Amino acid sequence: MLSVQQSADAAAAKTYFAALRSRTQPATTLTGLTSLGLPAFQSNTGIVSFVKDNLTLEVDATALVATLGPQRTSRGDFAYTVATDVLACWQE
């Protein structure tokens, strides 16, 4: 599942993002290049979320099999790849 929550402003988006993270436990903060300079987290179950401006992106791969394709990509890595592909296409 891929979803984008549009909030009224950046502050509201950060509040939504924090609530999403609290519902997604356990969640690990993504940092450094992995987070692309944005607030981000991922769960060990296959959920990845980023917040940019007033938008919160969530990719939930928990309904998929544990590993995907011939490379045996984990749900979490797959969700991260999808999220970063979407972020690369976002325009101001």
Side-chain angles (χ1 to χ4, degrees):
M1 181 219 30
L2 184 146
S3 66
V4 176
Q5 170 68 35
Q6 184 174 4
S7 300
D9 54 35
K14 287 184 179 182
T15 299
Y16 177 83
F17 175 80
L20 177 61
R21 182 188 170 127
S22 70
R23 290 191 308 268
T24 308
Q25 293 298 325
T28 304
T29 300
L30 295 175
T31 60
L33 292 177
T34 305
S35 75
L36 309 173
L38 301 170
F41 71 83
Q42 83 177 37
S43 75
N44 59 1
T45 59
I47 297 172
V48 175
S49 182
F50 288 83
V51 64
K52 180 178 180 188
D53 303 322
N54 67 326
L55 303 171
T56 304
L57 170 66
E58 177 187 9
V59 179
D60 182 342
T62 58
L64 299 175
V65 294
T67 57
L68 304 146
Q71 293 82 18
R72 314 252 331 133
T73 303
S74 72
R75 286 183 285 231
D77 287 347
F78 178 77
Y80 178 80
T81 299
V82 170
T84 56
D85 286 350
V86 170
L87 288 170
C89 296
W90 276 6
Q91 297 188 18
E92 305 301 319

